[in-house]
Amino acid sequence: MPRPEEEFGKAVGRRIRRLRKARGMTQTQLCELTGLDAGGISRYENGYQVPNSQGLRRLAEALSVTTDELLGVRPGNVFEQFEDWLLLIPRVHHDPLRRLIYSYLKTHQIGKPAQSRAGPAPNHD
């Protein structure tokens, strides 16, 4: 079974490829627009690597989308979206991932904690 980070990387890669092709761009043209190297674009599109924040921003600008769209973040509460995502991975990983992500989201004041399907959001106070 693929690890969650592998699935995430593949999903981001599929979005990049789909958006590039929808705009009639080659990988070479996307490289020229972003200043990223061809190997990087290929690794992103094939899900072997996820762009860092700067690469993500450059790709979003070149493809005329938001970074959220590239990452697959839908409008709405990020905590609820995260709980939906957790349902796709083995239950053994839920609590550690929930603690890590909720801590990050709270630290950066992103979203509003949701009641998870497995119980209340972890308290990090």
Side-chain angles (χ1 to χ4, degrees), residues 40-51:
I41 298 291
S42 178
R43 285 189 301 277
Y44 300 154
E45 287 191 0
N46 289 301
Y48 298 126
Q49 184 178 352
V50 177

Side-chain angles (χ1 to χ4, degrees), residues 19-119:
L19 290 164
R20 176 182 58 77
K21 287 184 174 188
R23 284 150 181 77
M25 274 187 227
T26 65
Q27 285 186 345
T28 301
Q29 290 168 321
L30 187 55
C31 291
E32 291 169 0
L33 285 172
T34 61
L36 301 170
D37 67 85
I41 298 291
S42 178
R43 285 189 301 277
Y44 300 154
E45 287 191 0
N46 289 301
Y48 298 126
Q49 184 178 352
V50 177
N52 63 21
S53 59
Q54 187 177 30
L56 193 64
R57 184 186 52 77
R58 288 178 181 181
L59 286 164
E61 287 175 6
L63 297 168
S64 301
V65 296
T66 65
T67 54
D68 281 357
E69 187 172 345
L70 285 180
L71 293 173
V73 177
R74 304 178 314 264
N77 190 314
V78 292
F79 284 94
E80 290 174 8
Q81 291 176 50
F82 174 67
E83 289 297 328
D84 289 342
W85 178 75
L86 276 178
L87 297 175
L88 302 174
I89 63 172
R91 183 170 287 283
V92 68
H93 300 296
H94 289 198
D95 287 338
L97 285 171
R98 187 178 286 118
R99 283 191 298 274
L100 175 68
I101 297 298
Y102 275 37
S103 175
Y104 176 85
L105 294 173
K106 184 176 180 183
T107 298
H108 296 282
Q109 300 177 344
I110 301 170
K112 179 179 174 184
Q115 178 83 15
S116 81
R117 289 168 185 82

